[in-house]
């Protein structure tokens, strides 16, 4: 009996099975860690086919400013809300009842004036106007300059050279407008500056009108100086596609032509709005993305009636609480 007990114990009296258990535990831990490390190194593919992205909220980047009392001092309210919209194809591609201007009018009850110019940009192509690129006359920067000077003669003269009557009609909309009756000015351009390779900014000259940021900032300040009582709202462009160097359409979030991706230009607008005290309405997040683009886009950049209605509803809600 004593011999059998000695067989089951070592010299210190600890049973052999205890040692065996400890060794097994150590081996198990080592194996577990090795397996986990192997999985981590290889990565894990998660099946998201049953996940509905619409269930998740997207954080919008809206930032809203209200004019201070000193800006409104001496200005008489005529009792009618008048909204002037400056832009390009974002507001002129559909000028019917399904367009964004008409949708904003329907949702706010305001008098909405469309002063958009097809294919125009926020920035200038040439620092000095050149007839070889007459679209510069209708850029946001030059339109803002004409508004601040109260002189639209050069715009009207240039508009005569276009077959599209929108250039003439919308210039007259500006020339005939009593700006003392304008309550809100909306700046709404699509991502043409990005697609046309206009620089986003010039670190050496923040007011450079040949850059997206410089033209937007300078134009806003010209209007603010002339009409401090007008509330200005910048509405961002929506998601769009861009043609890569190989001629294929690519997600604007992923293509950098040397001046940044779409989100870079979005941040430029946000920065300008913060600097000038202008409200910013985010049409980029929560509207169109690569997953639903076929439902809201007519081509790589122009949007349809459903998108216009969504944009108008969002504007009415954040600016007018409707």
């Amino acid at each position: 009996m004593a011999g059998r007990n000695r067989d089951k114990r070592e010299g210190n009296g600890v049973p052999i099975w205890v040692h065996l258990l400890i060794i097994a535990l150590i081996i198990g831990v080592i194996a577990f860690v090795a397996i986990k490390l192997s999985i981590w190194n290889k990565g894990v593919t998660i099946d998201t086919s049953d996940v509905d992205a619409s269930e998740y909220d997207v954080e919008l980047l809206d930032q809203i400013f209200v004019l201070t009392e000193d800006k409104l001092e001496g200005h008489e309210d005529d009792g009618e809300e008048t909204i002037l919209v400056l832009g390009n194809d974002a507001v002129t591609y559909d000028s019917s009842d399904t367009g964004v201007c008409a949708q904003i009018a329907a949702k706010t009850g305001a008098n909405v004036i469309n002063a958009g110019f097809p294919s125009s940009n926020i920035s200038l192509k040439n620092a000095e106007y050149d007839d070889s690129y007459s679209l510069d006359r209708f850029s946001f920067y030059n339109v803002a300059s004409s508004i601040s000077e109260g002189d639209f003669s050069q715009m009207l003269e240039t508009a005569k050279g276009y077959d599209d009557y929108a250039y003439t009609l919308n210039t007259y909309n500006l020339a005939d407008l009593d700006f003392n009756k304008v309550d809100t000015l909306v700046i709404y351009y699509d991502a043409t500056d990005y697609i046309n390779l206009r620089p986003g900014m010039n670190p050496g000259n923040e007011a450079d009108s040949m850059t997206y940021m410089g033209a937007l900032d300078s134009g806003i300040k010209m209007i603010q100086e002339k009409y401090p009582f007008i509330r200005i709202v910048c509405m961002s462009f929506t998601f769009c596609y861009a043609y890569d160097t190989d001629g294929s359409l690519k997600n604007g979030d992923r293509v950098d032509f040397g001046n940044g991706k779409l989100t870079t230009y979005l941040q430029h607008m946000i920065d300008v709005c913060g600097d000038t005290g202008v409200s910013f309405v985010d049409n980029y997040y929560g509207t169109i993305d690569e997953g639903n683009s076929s439902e809201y886009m007519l081509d790589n950049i122009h949007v349809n009636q459903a998108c216009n209605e969504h944009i108008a509803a969002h504007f009415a809600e954040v600016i007018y609480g409707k």
Side-chain angles (χ1 to χ4, degrees), residues 118 133-136 138 158-165 167-168:
Y133 190 78
S134 57
L135 264 177
D136 263 354
F138 303 100
T158 305
K160 295 177 182 179
Y162 286 86
D163 293 332
D164 190 339
Y165 188 65
Y167 293 94
T168 298

Side-chain angles (χ1 to χ4, degrees), residues 108-213:
T108 63
N111 173 33
V112 179
I113 300 167
N114 186 334
F117 298 97
S119 303
S120 61
N121 293 271
I122 284 180
S123 61
L124 299 177
K125 181 177 182 180
N126 301 306
E128 297 294 332
Y129 178 74
D130 189 325
D131 283 331
S132 64
Y133 190 78
S134 57
L135 264 177
D136 263 354
R137 188 76 78 193
F138 303 100
S139 69
F140 169 71
Y141 178 84
N142 276 334
V143 170
S145 179
S146 295
I147 290 174
S148 68
E149 295 171 1
D151 183 1
F152 301 95
S153 58
Q154 291 181 327
M155 291 178 63
L156 286 170
E157 184 63 29
T158 305
K160 295 177 182 179
Y162 286 86
D163 293 332
D164 190 339
Y165 188 65
Y167 293 94
T168 298
L169 174 63
N170 292 344
T171 300
Y172 275 121
N173 284 342
L174 289 173
D176 295 340
L177 179 62
D178 181 356
F179 279 84
N180 289 307
K181 295 183 178 181
V182 176
D183 300 286
T184 302
L185 169 65
V186 176
I187 302 167
Y188 179 34
Y189 287 74
D190 60 27
T192 299
D193 283 77
Y194 160 76
I195 290 176
N196 286 350
L197 310 184
R198 299 292 170 84
M201 63 179 294
N202 179 354
N205 179 11
E206 294 182 355
D208 187 347
S209 57
M210 293 179 66
T211 69
Y212 180 80
M213 195 172 186

